[in-house]
Amino acid sequence: MQSTTVFCSFLLFSFLALQYSPLCAAASQPNPVLDMTGKTVREGIDYYIKPIRQDLGLGLNLASVGNYTCPLSVVQKEPYDGGIPITFFPVNPKKGVIREWTDMNVEFPKGYSFVEACPGYSFVWTLDRYKPLSSETHYVVNGGVKGNPGRDTIKNWFKVAKSGEAYRFVFCPSVCEYCEVICKNVGIIVVEDGQRRLALTDDPLELKFERV
């Protein structure tokens, strides 16, 4: 009887040790985002956006839309324009790997951002407004703040999620536990002057990432 008890205790200990081992903890992390060659997307590296439907538009860039000069809007350019790259910065700066469904800042690298129409504005993505209970369209613009997760920066956090064989951007920040949160895909809205603006929509812009 005693040997049976000892054996059962050993099994229980082994099970608990396996459950809480570093290997199991690592396995529970979200999947890493992969580029077009199957390599892990990493923090601080420049990547081109490659939409799945390239006949409608190609890369991303900044542009003034309508009568608004500042901030600039994030837009999808014509099919012949590859746009400028983006860089990711995860909410945990110690983690260099970009993972699915993880809060991150998205930035146009300054070396590629030739637009000088808005001095004083950063090249970090943000929303032009934040009204969770409103039916107004929320557009993606420049001028966000990198880092400092919390209520004051909630407009600046995006996520990457799997979408079939491709990926999509999602706005659904987890950086403020007590805030009203908008959870929507990031897609394209064509505005009056024909510009294809990034905005929070039901239909996502499906895309892949190509390292520069």
Side-chain angles (χ1 to χ4, degrees), residues 49-61:
I49 293 294
K50 296 293 183 179
I52 300 302
R53 288 286 309 274
Q54 296 189 10
D55 57 313
L56 299 178
L58 199 54
L60 303 180
N61 211 325

Side-chain angles (χ1 to χ4, degrees), residues 10-149:
F10 172 76
L11 288 179
L12 178 61
F13 174 80
S14 300
F15 174 77
L16 292 175
L18 180 62
Q19 289 293 308
Y20 294 100
S21 69
L23 289 176
C24 289
S28 65
Q29 294 183 16
N31 292 328
V33 177
L34 304 179
D35 66 16
M36 295 178 66
T37 66
K39 294 182 179 179
T40 301
V41 173
R42 306 192 70 88
E43 174 187 2
I45 304 296
D46 299 345
Y47 294 89
Y48 282 110
I49 293 294
K50 296 293 183 179
I52 300 302
R53 288 286 309 274
Q54 296 189 10
D55 57 313
L56 299 178
L58 199 54
L60 303 180
N61 211 325
L62 291 169
S64 57
V65 175
N67 297 323
Y68 297 95
T69 48
C70 295
L72 297 168
S73 297
V74 179
V75 299
Q76 185 184 25
K77 303 303 289 183
E78 296 81 2
Y80 56 82
D81 189 337
I84 53 180
I86 58 173
T87 307
F88 302 103
F89 297 93
V91 64
N92 186 344
K94 295 181 180 179
K95 304 294 184 181
V97 174
I98 304 303
R99 297 186 179 275
E100 297 174 17
W101 290 105
T102 301
D103 289 293
M104 67 188 75
N105 297 129
V106 184
E107 182 179 34
F108 287 116
K110 295 179 181 178
Y112 299 89
S113 302
F114 53 86
V115 180
E116 300 294 341
C118 293
Y121 282 77
S122 74
F123 293 112
V124 178
W125 289 15
T126 186
L127 299 182
D128 63 342
R129 67 199 72 193
Y130 191 76
K131 298 180 179 180
L133 303 180
S134 172
S135 60
E136 297 179 50
T137 301
H138 292 72
Y139 291 101
V140 182
V141 297
N142 75 318
V145 175
K146 190 161 55 180
N148 300 315

Side-chain angles (χ1 to χ4, degrees), residues 1-11:
M1 184 67 160
Q2 184 177 2
S3 61
T4 302
T5 303
V6 171
F7 179 70
C8 290
S9 299
F10 172 76
L11 288 179

